[in-house]
Amino acid sequence: MGKTLFEKVWESHIVDSVENEQEILYIDRHFIHEVTSPQAFEGLRRRGIELFRKNKIVATADHNVPTKDQHLPIKEVLSKLQVDTLIQNCKEFGIDLYGLGHPYQGIVHVIGPELGITKPGMTIVCGDSHTSTHGAFGAIAFGIGTSQVEQVMATQCLLLERPKTMRITINGELDKGVSSKDIILYIISKLSTAGGTGHFVEYAGSAITSLSMEARMTICNMSIEMGARGGMIAPDETTFEYIKGREFAPDGAALEEAINYWKTLYSDEDAYFDKEYTFEAERIPPMITYGTNPGMGIGIDETIPENDSESFKKSLKYMNLEAGTYLLNKKIDNVFIGSCTNSRIEDLRIVAEYVAGKQKADHVKAMIVPGSKQVEKQAREEGIHQVLADAGFELREPGCSACLGMNEDKIPDGEYCVSTSNRNFEGRQGPGARTMLVSPLTAAIIAIEGKIVDTRNYVNKVVTA
Amino acid sequence: MEKFKTLTSTVIPLANEDIDTDQIIPARFLKSTTREGFGNNLFRDWRYDSQGDLKEDFILNDPSYSGSILVTGKNFGCGSSREHAAWALYDFGFRAVVSSYFADIFKGNALNNGLLPVQVSDAFLETIFELVKQDKNTTLKIELIDQQISIPGTNHKEKYNINAYKKTCLLNGYDDIDYLISKKSQIEQFEQTHKEF
């Protein structure tokens, strides 16, 4: 029997299969950031263990950093301590750090791909659940806890039970105004937040292969929101073209050799998946979430479903919404465009193209946070920052920002925020904040209209991101 | 890591489903650089109002419930990979969490910290909630060697699954890092032939 893409990559990284279904998996690249690494460094010190392979670690500061005046010292004392601790640890252990002030700084899952560090066939981990983003290149990439961060620092390996496999196929063409974010929100709404638990997902089908790399990253990014360990897409010409010429990408003969290998990374026709789902692209509407987990999503013109469970009622109470009602025309206070899901240059271009020559609604606070310094620079070079500024949007400096509200960027208690991020959990964007997840295009339209409207009525063309 | 053999305790029932790690420990309390002290902010926004006052209707604030076992709705620990969630539960005093379903990363993090995730059937979970509702002093007995959870004084009991390697680790207080370090020469050998493109 043939092998799945997942099996091909996984099996080429097994150091040893040990008893009781555990395998020692070799890790090619380890990304670290300031929040989930300090205790791991401390663990190494406490045990007197050396860092095993420092050249396989890449560090950045993203979760805690301010998105204004990054050239000044961080004001928030605890955030500063964490970022300073990262600087100190990287210095002590000799790790490359793309920290504040560095031209490569940014959200860890944005900088890996844009620097050409993320490549097909790799195993990649990070103490962050959205590590699944890198799977868009045909890599096995997944989030780990801090104890595992320490294990990888000590041995470049993890001891793991092999996940099951799942394939989600989406064929057909997307409706106008529908993008990759809508695809993944649609899938999660069908499978629930636990639908992928225990599985590694491969996304396939014509609606996936026709997407850009950045759009593919958005899909893989949110695999964790259906409980999956990770998501991946077989590499193809789109992937190779994206990688070529990037800072740490191979070139010349090395690139040729790499591409020859990468071309072998696909699921064989007779490969077996533990679970399979198929969806039709034409049926996917612009999506929006109404509840407090990413599975609680509907088409933007639909009504909130009825459900008798206590958890569901609690969720709607938190959101101050009623079952059976429409979200259309609901007034929105905040729009956040950013996060590792949607903060890349394509996302900013889509927003800029739509808002050019328009004005955001007076009552809306609109914040745009680029995923990295490179995205920010590119946006400036393309004049995007000016278009956004003219429309009343504030383009800030890179970081995780209001996706999780660890820095000053929080949504006020009780206010609604239409957000391009990945989680609408209670309090995620600040205590009492009410988050509704959407695509960048939908967010841009809502910022202009000041209320929830149907994306399809405002655009005439198909969006590709 | 502390050893785990048998735990008999009253329980704290928290029936909500899909409890994510942002509820267990909100992101704004992840700023420590050590593993200790996260228990203070366990379920922070469910335990305290915006003024920092205790919310009396939240179960962790009800003094008539106590114990080192948290019993909770399905898909516990979904969302962020933050190990701080496991640290916070442990620091607060929990040694086991019982649910009908755990999110993968949380489960791994819990096992790496001596916090036992016990996955039971929906029916058994329902029984626990029902009995605790009738009597807050209802206890659970969780045995690791036999992989059995029971309700003493009743006939209710169930076997649960745990990875055999992880079970050995918990019984002995070992963690993965010791094991992996013992394999270092094999890892170095693997690196000789492993090509990264």
Side-chain angles (χ1 to χ4, degrees):
Chain A
M1 190 166 41
K3 289 186 191 302
T4 64
L5 165 64
F6 171 81
E7 286 162 344
K8 287 178 182 177
V9 180
W10 182 277
E11 286 170 9
S12 68
H13 289 81
I14 297 174
V15 173
D16 194 11
S17 298
V18 288
E19 53 191 318
N20 303 322
E21 295 163 5
Q22 298 277 312
E23 288 168 312
I24 300 177
L25 192 77
Y26 191 79
I27 303 302
D28 292 320
R29 201 61 86 244
H30 185 192
F31 291 104
I32 61 169
H33 60 82
E34 75 276 22
V35 179
T36 57
S37 68
Q39 294 87 353
F41 283 113
E42 201 44 51
L44 292 185
R45 277 190 208 100
R46 190 165 41 84
R47 295 172 199 257
I49 301 172
E50 304 235 328
L51 183 61
F52 188 55
R53 295 288 179 252
K54 64 181 180 187
N55 61 339
K56 293 191 183 287
I57 304 184
V58 176
T60 190
D62 56 4
H63 280 65
N64 248 325
V65 301
T67 56
K68 265 185 168 176
D69 298 328
Q70 286 185 347
H71 60 290
L72 299 175
I74 299 174
K75 286 183 199 151
E76 221 271 335
V77 180
L78 291 174
S79 297
K80 185 173 187 308
L81 174 67
Q82 244 182 7
V83 173
D84 287 348
T85 303
L86 180 71
I87 295 169
Q88 189 50 46
N89 282 330
C90 287
K91 206 169 159 188
E92 182 183 331
F93 288 91
I95 296 168
D96 285 336
L97 168 66
Y98 304 136
L100 285 182
H102 194 286
Y104 295 163
Q105 181 266 336
I107 304 175
V108 60
H109 310 309
V110 174
I111 69 168
E114 78 180 3
L115 289 170
I117 296 170
T118 302
K119 286 171 293 192
M122 277 184 151
T123 48
I124 299 171
V125 296
C126 174
D128 188 286
S129 61
H130 293 112
T131 308
S132 57
T133 313
H134 308 263
F137 291 79
I140 288 182
F142 54 94
I144 55 176
T146 297
S147 294
Q148 292 173 306
V149 170
E150 188 181 336
Q151 288 162 29
V152 179
M153 286 175 171
T155 66
Q156 207 55 39
C157 285
L158 285 171
L159 197 52
L160 298 166
E161 206 172 327
R162 193 189 293 210
K164 295 192 177 104
T165 55
M166 179 190 290
R167 179 162 59 188
I168 298 175
T169 305
I170 302 153
N171 285 316
E173 280 183 34
L174 293 171
D175 195 0
K176 65 176 183 179
V178 177
S179 58
S180 59
K181 182 64 165 286
D182 301 303
I183 297 178
I184 190 64
L185 285 173
Y186 179 81
I187 294 172
I188 302 165
S189 77
K190 297 294 176 198
L191 267 56
S192 90
T193 52
T197 305
H199 291 76
F200 223 93
V201 178
E202 179 179 344
Y203 302 96
S206 59
I208 299 294
T209 53
S210 61
L211 295 172
S212 70
M213 280 318 293
E214 300 201 353
R216 294 179 192 186
M217 286 186 234
T218 300
I219 292 191
C220 289
N221 171 275
M222 289 188 73
S223 303
I224 181 70
E225 311 313 337
M226 57 177 146
R229 285 304 268 123
M232 61 200 305
I233 295 172
D236 58 12
E237 287 301 327
T238 306
T239 320
F240 311 148
E241 280 307 312
Y242 178 94
I243 294 170
K244 277 179 198 167
R246 292 188 181 267
E247 182 69 29
F248 298 105
D251 55 10
L255 178 66
E256 231 168 273
E257 192 195 352
I259 289 178
N260 282 337
Y261 170 63
W262 295 342
K263 282 182 175 168
T264 67
L265 300 175
Y266 56 86
S267 289
D268 297 327
E269 262 181 42
D270 56 344
Y272 171 79
F273 289 87
D274 295 295
K275 266 189 190 168
E276 288 233 42
Y277 294 96
T278 304
F279 299 103
E280 293 165 48
E282 288 80 2
R283 287 178 176 268
I284 303 176
M287 295 289 294
I288 188 164
T289 62
Y290 58 87
T292 55
N293 74 54
M296 300 173 84
I298 51 175
I300 201 156
D301 61 340
E302 294 170 14
T303 56
I304 298 170
E306 313 265 353
N307 187 320
D308 277 341
S309 96
E310 286 305 315
S311 298
F312 187 88
K313 287 183 198 157
K314 179 175 183 290
S315 180
L316 285 198
K317 189 178 170 205
Y318 178 85
M319 292 298 290
N320 196 26
L321 294 171
E322 273 177 51
T325 61
Y326 286 97
L327 289 175
L328 285 178
N329 289 321
K330 182 154 194 67
K331 196 176 154 204
I332 293 300
D333 318 289
N334 302 272
V335 170
F336 172 65
I337 295 169
S339 87
C340 55
T341 313
N342 285 120
S343 64
R344 300 177 187 86
I345 192 67
E346 280 181 11
D347 301 314
L348 268 53
R349 283 183 192 138
I350 286 169
V351 173
E353 190 185 338
Y354 183 79
V355 306
K358 301 185 178 77
Q359 272 299 311
K360 74 162 181 70
D362 283 343
H363 67 275
V364 170
K365 286 163 272 179
M367 194 197 295
I368 304 194
V369 181
S372 70
K373 280 316 256 189
Q374 295 211 90
V375 171
E376 184 191 346
K377 183 167 167 265
Q378 177 95 24
R380 289 185 190 283
E381 282 167 10
E382 293 182 18
I384 287 174
H385 71 298
Q386 197 53 53
V387 171
L388 295 174
D390 291 347
F393 291 73
E394 191 183 1
L395 182 65
R396 305 179 73 137
E397 292 173 272
C400 299
S401 180
C403 173
L404 83 168
M406 274 196 85
N407 69 351
E408 302 82 350
D409 306 342
K410 291 181 176 65
I411 306 303
D413 192 355
E415 291 191 8
Y416 288 99
C417 179
V418 158
S419 176
T420 68
S421 55
N422 40 57
R423 287 183 175 140
N424 50 350
F425 296 147
E426 279 185 35
R428 172 83 177 177
Q429 296 194 291
R434 293 170 174 150
T435 304
M436 293 170 161
L437 304 175
V438 296
S439 73
L441 177 64
T442 298
I445 296 170
I446 290 174
I448 301 292
E449 300 302 320
K451 59 183 182 179
I452 297 174
V453 294
D454 191 332
T455 316
R456 288 164 293 200
N457 297 337
Y458 292 78
V459 287
N460 292 313
K461 63 171 187 177
V462 175
V463 180
T464 55
Chain B
M1 195 167 75
E2 295 261 324
K3 291 179 186 176
F4 190 112
K5 282 203 166 64
T6 300
L7 176 64
T8 305
S9 168
T10 50
V11 307
I12 296 184
L14 186 55
N16 307 53
E17 296 175 353
D18 300 315
I19 294 177
D20 57 81
T21 52
D22 273 84
Q23 306 319 311
I24 300 172
I25 179 97
R28 62 187 192 280
F29 298 108
L30 304 184
K31 298 189 183 188
S32 171
T33 52
T34 65
R35 287 175 183 241
E36 292 76 33
F38 288 101
N40 292 335
N41 294 311
L42 177 71
F43 293 113
R44 174 74 201 197
D45 293 336
W46 290 1
R47 266 164 79 200
Y48 298 94
D49 64 19
S50 53
Q51 309 303 314
D53 294 326
L54 285 177
K55 290 182 182 175
E56 283 178 13
D57 58 349
F58 184 55
I59 196 115
L60 252 60
N61 295 333
D62 183 341
S64 57
Y65 289 98
S66 65
S68 53
I69 301 174
L70 180 68
V71 183
T72 181
K74 69 169 191 253
N75 198 26
F76 185 76
C78 60
S80 158
S81 60
R82 60 189 71 162
E83 193 162 316
H84 312 66
W87 298 337
L89 288 161
Y90 195 92
D91 192 49
F92 190 83
F94 290 113
R95 293 295 175 267
V97 185
V98 178
S99 179
S100 57
Y101 210 88
F102 291 95
D104 289 329
I105 306 181
F106 172 79
K107 191 175 173 180
N109 287 339
L111 287 166
N112 281 336
N113 286 281
L115 177 70
L116 182 65
V118 181
Q119 189 169 326
V120 297
S121 65
D122 288 324
F124 195 80
L125 187 66
E126 206 44 55
T127 303
I128 302 172
F129 281 132
E130 197 48 49
L131 290 177
V132 176
K133 204 178 198 178
Q134 289 165 19
D135 179 5
K136 292 175 179 177
N137 294 318
T138 301
T139 57
L140 284 182
K141 185 176 184 189
I142 300 171
E143 292 161 280
L144 184 53
I145 291 175
D146 297 336
Q147 294 179 220
Q148 179 170 277
I149 177 168
S150 57
I151 307 175
T154 75
N155 293 323
H156 298 292
K157 62 181 173 190
E158 197 169 278
K159 292 277 183 190
Y160 61 88
N161 284 322
I162 179 169
N163 176 284
Y165 165 79
K166 282 293 176 193
K167 180 178 172 180
T168 310
C169 286
L170 276 175
L171 286 170
N172 297 292
Y174 299 154
D175 42 28
D176 290 357
I177 204 159
D178 302 321
Y179 180 81
L180 285 169
I181 286 171
S182 75
K183 295 280 178 180
K184 226 158 180 180
S185 60
Q186 213 174 331
I187 295 167
E188 281 167 348
Q189 211 175 338
F190 174 86
E191 285 180 321
Q192 299 298 317
T193 54
H194 175 65
K195 191 161 167 74
E196 181 201 297
F197 288 96

